[in-house]
Amino acid sequence: MSFTNTMVNLWNNMGFSTFTWQQGVMIGISLILLFLAIGKKFEPFLLLPIAFGMLLVNLPLTGLTQEGGLFYYLSFGVNTSIYPCLIFLGIGAMTDFGPLLANPSCLLLGAASQLGVYVTFIVACFAGFTPQEAAAIGIIGGADGPVTIYLTATLANHLLPMIAVAAYSYMALVPVIQPPIMKMLTTQKEREIVMKQLRKVSKTEKIIFPIIVTVFVSLLLPSAAPLIGCLMLGNLMRESGVVERLSKTVQNELMNITTIFLGVSVGATTTATAFLNYQTLAILVIGILAFALGSAGGVLLAKFMNLFTKNKINPLIGSAGVSAVPMAARVSQTVGQEANPGNFLLMHAMGPNVAGVIGSAVAAGILLSFLG
Protein backbone atom coordinates (compact mmCIF):
# COMPACT_ATOMS: atom_id res chain seq x y z
CA MET A 1 0.00 0.00 0.00
CA SER A 2 1.41 3.38 -1.01
CA PHE A 3 2.13 6.15 1.45
CA THR A 4 -0.67 8.24 -0.11
CA ASN A 5 -3.26 5.49 0.37
CA THR A 6 -2.10 5.02 3.94
CA MET A 7 -2.56 8.68 4.70
CA VAL A 8 -5.97 8.72 3.00
CA ASN A 9 -7.13 5.74 5.06
CA LEU A 10 -5.77 7.38 8.19
CA TRP A 11 -7.71 10.57 7.41
CA ASN A 12 -10.90 8.64 6.64
CA ASN A 13 -10.68 6.93 10.01
CA MET A 14 -10.44 10.25 11.82
CA GLY A 15 -13.50 12.00 13.14
CA PHE A 16 -12.31 15.21 11.48
CA SER A 17 -13.10 13.73 8.05
CA THR A 18 -16.85 13.60 8.70
CA PHE A 19 -17.22 16.41 11.23
CA THR A 20 -20.15 18.74 10.35
CA TRP A 21 -21.12 22.21 11.48
CA GLN A 22 -24.28 20.76 13.02
CA GLN A 23 -22.16 18.57 15.26
CA GLY A 24 -20.10 21.65 16.11
CA VAL A 25 -23.27 23.45 17.21
CA MET A 26 -24.28 20.54 19.44
CA ILE A 27 -20.81 20.41 21.00
CA GLY A 28 -21.13 24.15 21.66
CA ILE A 29 -24.50 23.58 23.37
CA SER A 30 -22.96 20.79 25.46
CA LEU A 31 -20.19 23.15 26.58
CA ILE A 32 -22.78 25.74 27.62
CA LEU A 33 -24.61 23.11 29.68
CA LEU A 34 -21.32 22.03 31.24
CA PHE A 35 -20.65 25.64 32.20
CA LEU A 36 -24.09 25.91 33.81
CA ALA A 37 -23.53 22.68 35.71
CA ILE A 38 -19.96 23.37 36.86
CA GLY A 39 -19.70 27.15 36.88
CA LYS A 40 -23.22 28.04 38.03
CA LYS A 41 -24.04 24.75 39.83
CA PHE A 42 -27.42 24.50 38.06
CA GLU A 43 -28.74 20.96 38.71
CA PRO A 44 -25.18 19.60 38.30
CA PHE A 45 -25.90 15.98 39.22
CA LEU A 46 -27.93 15.50 36.05
CA LEU A 47 -26.93 18.42 33.85
CA LEU A 48 -23.24 17.43 33.89
CA PRO A 49 -23.71 13.80 32.69
CA ILE A 50 -26.36 14.93 30.17
CA ALA A 51 -24.02 17.55 28.76
CA PHE A 52 -21.08 15.15 28.57
CA GLY A 53 -23.25 12.51 26.91
CA MET A 54 -24.26 15.17 24.38
CA LEU A 55 -20.60 15.99 23.80
CA LEU A 56 -19.62 12.35 23.24
CA VAL A 57 -22.49 11.43 20.92
CA ASN A 58 -21.74 14.34 18.59
CA LEU A 59 -18.13 13.30 18.08
CA PRO A 60 -18.19 11.40 14.75
CA LEU A 61 -17.15 7.77 14.13
CA THR A 62 -17.12 6.81 17.81
CA GLY A 63 -19.75 4.09 17.31
CA LEU A 64 -21.16 4.72 20.78
CA THR A 65 -24.80 4.52 19.72
CA GLN A 66 -24.46 1.68 17.22
CA GLU A 67 -25.30 -1.90 18.13
CA GLY A 68 -22.56 -3.08 20.42
CA GLY A 69 -21.65 0.46 21.49
CA LEU A 70 -21.77 1.68 25.08
CA PHE A 71 -24.77 3.99 24.67
CA TYR A 72 -26.65 1.34 22.69
CA TYR A 73 -26.89 -0.77 25.85
CA LEU A 74 -27.23 2.06 28.36
CA SER A 75 -30.22 3.41 26.41
CA PHE A 76 -32.30 0.35 27.35
CA GLY A 77 -32.72 1.79 30.83
CA VAL A 78 -34.32 4.92 29.35
CA ASN A 79 -36.38 3.23 26.63
CA THR A 80 -37.83 0.74 29.08
CA SER A 81 -38.30 3.40 31.82
CA ILE A 82 -36.15 1.45 34.28
CA TYR A 83 -33.95 4.44 35.18
CA PRO A 84 -36.84 6.82 36.03
CA CYS A 85 -38.39 4.20 38.32
CA LEU A 86 -35.08 3.57 40.09
CA ILE A 87 -34.62 7.32 40.51
CA PHE A 88 -38.09 7.49 42.09
CA LEU A 89 -37.07 4.68 44.45
CA GLY A 90 -34.19 6.85 45.64
CA ILE A 91 -36.33 9.99 45.84
CA GLY A 92 -38.83 8.14 48.00
CA ALA A 93 -36.09 7.02 50.37
CA MET A 94 -34.87 10.62 50.71
CA THR A 95 -38.31 12.22 51.10
CA ASP A 96 -40.00 13.15 54.34
CA PHE A 97 -43.75 13.29 53.79
CA GLY A 98 -44.22 14.66 57.31
CA PRO A 99 -44.94 18.28 56.21
CA LEU A 100 -47.58 16.99 53.79
CA LEU A 101 -49.22 14.80 56.45
CA ALA A 102 -49.13 17.67 58.92
CA ASN A 103 -50.98 19.87 56.43
CA PRO A 104 -52.97 17.66 54.00
CA SER A 105 -54.32 20.71 52.16
CA CYS A 106 -50.90 20.83 50.51
CA LEU A 107 -52.11 18.00 48.28
CA LEU A 108 -54.42 20.52 46.63
CA LEU A 109 -51.50 22.89 46.00
CA GLY A 110 -49.50 20.06 44.45
CA ALA A 111 -52.46 19.20 42.24
CA ALA A 112 -53.01 22.84 41.23
CA SER A 113 -49.39 23.07 40.13
CA GLN A 114 -50.13 20.51 37.42
CA LEU A 115 -52.12 23.25 35.67
CA GLY A 116 -49.18 23.83 33.34
CA VAL A 117 -49.24 20.19 32.23
CA TYR A 118 -52.83 20.25 31.01
CA VAL A 119 -52.91 23.77 29.55
CA THR A 120 -49.75 23.28 27.54
CA PHE A 121 -50.99 19.89 26.38
CA ILE A 122 -53.82 21.78 24.67
CA VAL A 123 -51.44 24.49 23.41
CA ALA A 124 -49.08 21.89 21.93
CA CYS A 125 -51.97 20.15 20.16
CA PHE A 126 -52.93 23.45 18.51
CA ALA A 127 -49.26 24.00 17.63
CA GLY A 128 -49.36 20.93 15.40
CA PHE A 129 -48.04 18.21 17.67
CA THR A 130 -49.83 14.88 17.98
CA PRO A 131 -51.69 14.24 21.28
CA GLN A 132 -48.91 11.87 22.38
CA GLU A 133 -46.22 14.45 21.60
CA ALA A 134 -48.27 17.19 23.27
CA ALA A 135 -48.59 15.11 26.43
CA ALA A 136 -44.84 14.59 26.56
CA ILE A 137 -44.25 18.33 26.14
CA GLY A 138 -46.89 19.26 28.69
CA ILE A 139 -45.39 17.09 31.43
CA ILE A 140 -42.43 19.51 31.49
CA GLY A 141 -44.75 21.66 33.60
CA GLY A 142 -44.55 19.12 36.41
CA ALA A 143 -40.84 19.96 36.83
CA ASP A 144 -40.06 16.33 37.55
CA GLY A 145 -37.25 14.92 35.42
CA PRO A 146 -37.85 11.17 35.93
CA VAL A 147 -41.58 11.54 35.25
CA THR A 148 -40.84 13.57 32.12
CA ILE A 149 -38.48 10.90 30.81
CA TYR A 150 -40.88 8.09 31.78
CA LEU A 151 -43.82 9.61 29.91
CA THR A 152 -41.81 10.78 26.90
CA ALA A 153 -40.07 7.43 26.44
CA THR A 154 -43.49 5.78 26.42
CA LEU A 155 -45.49 8.19 24.25
CA ALA A 156 -43.01 10.12 22.08
CA ASN A 157 -39.54 8.61 22.31
CA HIS A 158 -38.33 10.57 19.26
CA LEU A 159 -38.78 13.82 21.22
CA LEU A 160 -36.82 12.61 24.24
CA PRO A 161 -33.63 14.62 23.49
CA MET A 162 -35.37 17.99 23.26
CA ILE A 163 -37.86 17.40 26.08
CA ALA A 164 -35.28 16.03 28.53
CA VAL A 165 -32.87 18.90 27.95
CA ALA A 166 -35.71 21.45 28.25
CA ALA A 167 -37.07 19.87 31.43
CA TYR A 168 -33.76 19.69 33.28
CA SER A 169 -32.67 23.13 32.06
CA TYR A 170 -35.85 24.74 33.39
CA MET A 171 -35.57 22.78 36.65
CA ALA A 172 -32.05 24.14 37.05
CA LEU A 173 -33.38 27.65 36.46
CA VAL A 174 -36.09 27.45 39.14
CA PRO A 175 -34.40 30.23 41.23
CA VAL A 176 -34.48 32.47 38.15
CA ILE A 177 -37.91 31.63 36.68
CA GLN A 178 -40.11 31.40 39.75
CA PRO A 179 -39.49 34.57 41.84
CA PRO A 180 -40.83 37.06 39.23
CA ILE A 181 -43.99 34.95 38.81
CA MET A 182 -44.47 34.66 42.59
CA LYS A 183 -44.04 38.39 43.15
CA MET A 184 -46.30 39.32 40.25
CA LEU A 185 -49.17 37.22 41.61
CA THR A 186 -48.90 38.21 45.29
CA THR A 187 -49.03 41.39 47.31
CA GLN A 188 -46.43 42.44 49.86
CA LYS A 189 -48.93 41.70 52.63
CA GLU A 190 -49.52 38.17 51.34
CA ARG A 191 -45.79 37.47 51.11
CA GLU A 192 -45.40 38.55 54.74
CA ILE A 193 -47.92 35.99 56.08
CA VAL A 194 -46.40 33.92 58.90
CA MET A 195 -47.80 30.39 59.06
CA LYS A 196 -48.45 28.36 62.20
CA GLN A 197 -45.91 25.75 63.23
CA LEU A 198 -46.67 22.32 61.79
CA ARG A 199 -47.85 19.56 64.12
CA LYS A 200 -45.64 16.57 64.82
CA VAL A 201 -46.47 13.58 62.64
CA SER A 202 -46.29 10.13 64.23
CA LYS A 203 -44.22 7.28 62.87
CA THR A 204 -47.37 5.20 62.37
CA GLU A 205 -48.81 7.85 60.04
CA LYS A 206 -45.61 7.94 58.04
CA ILE A 207 -45.62 4.13 57.64
CA ILE A 208 -49.28 3.88 56.66
CA PHE A 209 -49.15 6.78 54.17
CA PRO A 210 -47.02 5.14 51.43
CA ILE A 211 -49.09 1.95 51.60
CA ILE A 212 -52.40 3.81 51.25
CA VAL A 213 -51.12 6.03 48.42
CA THR A 214 -49.76 3.03 46.50
CA VAL A 215 -53.03 1.11 46.73
CA PHE A 216 -55.29 4.08 45.96
CA VAL A 217 -53.31 5.54 43.06
CA SER A 218 -52.59 2.13 41.50
CA LEU A 219 -56.28 1.21 41.58
CA LEU A 220 -57.24 4.61 40.21
CA LEU A 221 -54.48 4.85 37.58
CA PRO A 222 -52.74 1.50 36.97
CA SER A 223 -50.38 3.16 34.46
CA ALA A 224 -48.91 5.27 37.28
CA ALA A 225 -48.17 2.21 39.44
CA PRO A 226 -44.48 1.81 38.43
CA LEU A 227 -43.58 5.37 39.44
CA ILE A 228 -45.80 5.63 42.51
CA GLY A 229 -44.89 2.11 43.62
CA CYS A 230 -41.16 2.81 43.49
CA LEU A 231 -41.56 6.20 45.16
CA MET A 232 -43.57 4.76 48.04
CA LEU A 233 -41.40 1.65 48.41
CA GLY A 234 -38.38 3.89 48.88
CA ASN A 235 -40.28 5.98 51.42
CA LEU A 236 -41.46 2.89 53.31
CA MET A 237 -37.84 1.72 53.52
CA ARG A 238 -36.98 5.07 55.09
CA GLU A 239 -39.85 5.33 57.54
CA SER A 240 -40.12 1.70 58.67
CA GLY A 241 -36.65 1.79 60.25
CA VAL A 242 -36.16 -1.96 59.75
CA VAL A 243 -34.13 -1.89 56.52
CA GLU A 244 -31.74 0.97 57.21
CA ARG A 245 -28.97 -0.64 55.13
CA LEU A 246 -31.27 -0.94 52.09
CA SER A 247 -32.54 2.58 52.59
CA LYS A 248 -29.02 4.01 52.64
CA THR A 249 -28.07 1.98 49.56
CA VAL A 250 -31.10 3.27 47.65
CA GLN A 251 -30.41 6.86 48.73
CA ASN A 252 -26.72 6.78 47.88
CA GLU A 253 -25.09 4.06 45.75
CA LEU A 254 -28.12 3.04 43.66
CA MET A 255 -29.32 6.62 43.24
CA ASN A 256 -25.89 7.85 42.20
CA ILE A 257 -25.23 5.03 39.72
CA THR A 258 -28.67 5.38 38.14
CA THR A 259 -28.31 9.16 37.91
CA ILE A 260 -25.05 8.76 35.99
CA PHE A 261 -26.54 6.20 33.59
CA LEU A 262 -29.73 8.22 33.12
CA GLY A 263 -27.93 11.50 32.46
CA VAL A 264 -25.40 10.09 30.02
CA SER A 265 -28.08 8.05 28.20
CA VAL A 266 -30.34 11.09 27.78
CA GLY A 267 -27.39 13.16 26.57
CA ALA A 268 -26.57 10.41 24.08
CA THR A 269 -29.94 10.89 22.37
CA THR A 270 -29.14 14.52 21.48
CA THR A 271 -27.57 13.99 18.09
CA ALA A 272 -27.46 16.93 15.70
CA THR A 273 -30.10 15.42 13.39
CA ALA A 274 -32.49 14.76 16.28
CA PHE A 275 -31.99 18.07 18.09
CA LEU A 276 -31.45 20.80 15.49
CA ASN A 277 -34.93 21.32 14.05
CA TYR A 278 -37.92 23.61 14.45
CA GLN A 279 -39.55 21.22 16.93
CA THR A 280 -36.80 21.91 19.45
CA LEU A 281 -37.52 25.65 19.46
CA ALA A 282 -41.26 25.00 19.77
CA ILE A 283 -40.69 22.61 22.68
CA LEU A 284 -38.46 25.11 24.48
CA VAL A 285 -41.08 27.85 24.13
CA ILE A 286 -44.04 25.69 25.13
CA GLY A 287 -41.98 24.09 27.92
CA ILE A 288 -41.28 27.42 29.61
CA LEU A 289 -45.01 28.19 29.38
CA ALA A 290 -45.77 24.89 31.10
CA PHE A 291 -43.31 25.64 33.86
CA ALA A 292 -44.60 29.17 34.40
CA LEU A 293 -48.25 28.06 34.52
CA GLY A 294 -47.40 25.27 36.96
CA SER A 295 -45.73 27.76 39.30
CA ALA A 296 -48.67 30.15 38.97
CA GLY A 297 -51.30 27.45 39.55
CA GLY A 298 -50.20 26.67 43.09
CA VAL A 299 -49.88 30.35 44.05
CA LEU A 300 -53.36 31.17 42.73
CA LEU A 301 -55.00 28.24 44.51
CA ALA A 302 -53.36 29.26 47.81
CA LYS A 303 -54.78 32.76 47.38
CA PHE A 304 -58.21 31.26 46.67
CA MET A 305 -58.02 28.98 49.73
CA ASN A 306 -57.27 32.00 51.92
CA LEU A 307 -60.76 33.31 51.15
CA PHE A 308 -62.24 30.44 53.16
CA THR A 309 -59.63 29.48 55.77
CA LYS A 310 -59.04 30.95 59.20
CA ASN A 311 -55.34 30.07 59.32
CA LYS A 312 -53.97 31.90 56.30
CA ILE A 313 -51.57 30.23 53.86
CA ASN A 314 -48.64 32.18 52.53
CA PRO A 315 -49.29 31.91 48.76
CA LEU A 316 -45.56 31.66 48.12
CA ILE A 317 -45.54 28.02 49.18
CA GLY A 318 -47.95 27.22 46.34
CA SER A 319 -45.21 27.64 43.76
CA ALA A 320 -43.32 24.75 45.38
CA GLY A 321 -46.00 22.38 44.09
CA VAL A 322 -44.15 22.01 40.80
CA SER A 323 -41.96 19.33 42.40
CA ALA A 324 -38.26 20.17 41.73
CA VAL A 325 -37.49 18.93 45.25
CA PRO A 326 -36.18 20.70 47.29
CA MET A 327 -35.14 23.66 45.13
CA ALA A 328 -38.67 25.04 44.68
CA ALA A 329 -39.25 24.96 48.46
CA ARG A 330 -36.02 26.87 49.00
CA VAL A 331 -37.16 29.52 46.52
CA SER A 332 -40.39 29.96 48.53
CA GLN A 333 -38.28 30.39 51.68
CA THR A 334 -35.98 32.93 50.00
CA VAL A 335 -38.77 35.09 48.56
CA GLY A 336 -40.69 34.90 51.85
CA GLN A 337 -37.71 36.11 53.86
CA GLU A 338 -37.17 38.99 51.46
CA ALA A 339 -40.65 40.22 52.41
CA ASN A 340 -40.38 39.33 56.09
CA PRO A 341 -36.95 38.39 57.53
CA GLY A 342 -38.66 36.58 60.40
CA ASN A 343 -40.64 34.34 58.07
CA PHE A 344 -39.60 30.68 57.84
CA LEU A 345 -41.51 28.93 55.08
CA LEU A 346 -39.18 26.07 54.17
CA MET A 347 -40.95 23.26 56.06
CA HIS A 348 -44.36 24.59 55.02
CA ALA A 349 -43.22 24.70 51.39
CA MET A 350 -41.96 21.11 51.56
CA GLY A 351 -45.60 20.00 51.88
CA PRO A 352 -46.69 21.09 48.40
CA ASN A 353 -43.19 20.28 47.13
CA VAL A 354 -43.48 16.55 47.90
CA ALA A 355 -47.16 16.66 46.94
CA GLY A 356 -45.98 17.85 43.54
CA VAL A 357 -43.89 14.68 43.15
CA ILE A 358 -47.05 12.61 43.63
CA GLY A 359 -49.05 15.02 41.47
CA SER A 360 -46.69 14.81 38.52
CA ALA A 361 -46.74 11.00 38.63
CA VAL A 362 -50.55 11.06 38.74
CA ALA A 363 -50.64 13.53 35.83
CA ALA A 364 -48.41 11.19 33.84
CA GLY A 365 -50.71 8.29 34.71
CA ILE A 366 -53.78 10.19 33.52
CA LEU A 367 -52.12 11.06 30.20
CA LEU A 368 -50.95 7.48 29.74
CA SER A 369 -54.45 6.18 30.48
CA PHE A 370 -55.90 8.26 27.65
CA LEU A 371 -53.04 8.18 25.15
CA GLY A 372 -50.86 5.16 25.94
Side-chain angles (χ1 to χ4, degrees):
M1 183 180 291
S2 68
F3 176 76
T4 302
N5 289 337
T6 301
M7 296 306 295
V8 169
N9 287 336
L10 180 61
W11 171 255
N12 289 336
N13 287 325
M14 289 183 180
F16 290 111
S17 64
T18 59
F19 191 76
T20 65
W21 68 266
Q22 292 94 337
Q23 290 169 324
V25 170
M26 293 305 300
I27 289 174
I29 294 173
S30 73
L31 294 177
I32 293 172
L33 295 179
L34 283 172
F35 170 74
L36 292 175
I38 300 171
K40 299 297 183 181
K41 295 182 173 59
F42 286 168
E43 201 72 29
F45 289 101
L46 266 167
L47 208 55
L48 191 149
I50 286 175
F52 204 81
M54 182 186 297
L55 174 69
L56 282 173
V57 80
N58 285 288
L59 296 172
L61 303 184
T62 58
L64 289 168
T65 59
Q66 297 174 359
E67 186 172 354
L70 175 64
F71 292 155
Y72 175 82
Y73 293 108
L74 289 182
S75 66
F76 283 117
V78 174
N79 296 332
T80 58
S81 299
I82 292 174
Y83 293 156
C85 290
L86 291 179
I87 292 287
F88 252 48
L89 186 66
I91 291 173
M94 293 188 291
T95 300
D96 179 8
F97 285 108
L100 173 59
L101 293 170
N103 186 9
S105 63
C106 289
L107 277 171
L108 298 176
L109 299 179
S113 293
Q114 308 312 310
L115 172 69
V117 174
Y118 302 112
V119 172
T120 49
F121 166 72
I122 298 171
V123 171
C125 285
F126 279 108
F129 291 95
T130 66
Q132 288 77 14
E133 292 172 338
I137 296 169
I139 203 65
I140 294 174
D144 196 314
V147 172
T148 301
I149 292 172
Y150 179 85
L151 186 67
T152 305
T154 305
L155 295 181
N157 193 52
H158 59 288
L159 295 183
L160 184 59
M162 300 82 88
I163 290 176
V165 170
Y168 281 109
S169 297
Y170 293 145
M171 285 171 60
L173 293 172
V174 162
V176 177
I177 297 172
Q178 282 197 327
I181 297 171
M182 297 159 70
K183 292 176 182 178
M184 180 178 66
L185 296 177
T186 57
T187 64
Q188 177 70 20
K189 186 176 180 180
E190 287 174 327
R191 294 194 291 273
E192 292 176 354
I193 293 175
V194 177
M195 298 179 65
K196 290 177 58 178
Q197 186 173 357
L198 294 172
R199 70 174 179 86
K200 186 177 180 180
V201 177
S202 69
K203 183 176 180 178
T204 302
E205 290 177 274
K206 291 185 176 183
I207 292 175
I208 293 174
F209 178 74
I211 299 172
I212 292 177
V213 171
T214 301
V215 173
F216 178 76
V217 175
S218 298
L219 289 175
L220 183 67
L221 295 166
S223 54
L227 286 174
I228 287 293
C230 286
L231 178 71
M232 294 304 163
L233 172 59
N235 188 250
L236 189 59
M237 288 178 178
R238 169 197 172 96
E239 301 299 350
S240 65
V242 296
V243 288
E244 185 176 354
R245 189 176 63 188
L246 296 182
S247 179
K248 288 183 177 179
T249 299
V250 169
Q251 293 179 48
N252 297 289
E253 289 84 358
L254 181 61
M255 183 74 162
N256 292 336
I257 291 170
T258 307
T259 298
I260 294 169
F261 287 171
L262 175 65
V264 173
S265 300
V266 168
T269 63
T270 57
T271 59
T273 52
F275 199 86
L276 296 179
N277 52 63
Y278 81 93
Q279 283 187 323
T280 300
L281 181 60
I283 289 168
L284 290 173
V285 173
I286 298 173
I288 192 68
L289 174 65
F291 202 91
L293 288 174
S295 301
V299 173
L300 292 174
L301 181 63
K303 288 167 66 78
F304 180 73
M305 291 169 64
N306 279 342
L307 298 176
F308 308 98
T309 56
K310 180 180 178 181
N311 297 319
K312 300 301 180 183
I313 301 171
N314 190 311
L316 295 177
I317 71 169
S319 65
V322 296
S323 189
V325 180
M327 195 183 302
R330 290 173 181 163
V331 172
S332 298
Q333 163 75 7
T334 300
V335 177
Q337 283 208 316
E338 287 177 4
N340 180 359
N343 208 354
F344 297 95
L345 295 175
L346 184 60
M347 290 309 297
H348 296 284
M350 285 302 299
N353 209 188
V354 297
V357 178
I358 300 173
S360 62
V362 169
I366 291 172
L367 293 171
L368 279 172
S369 298
F370 285 101
L371 303 171

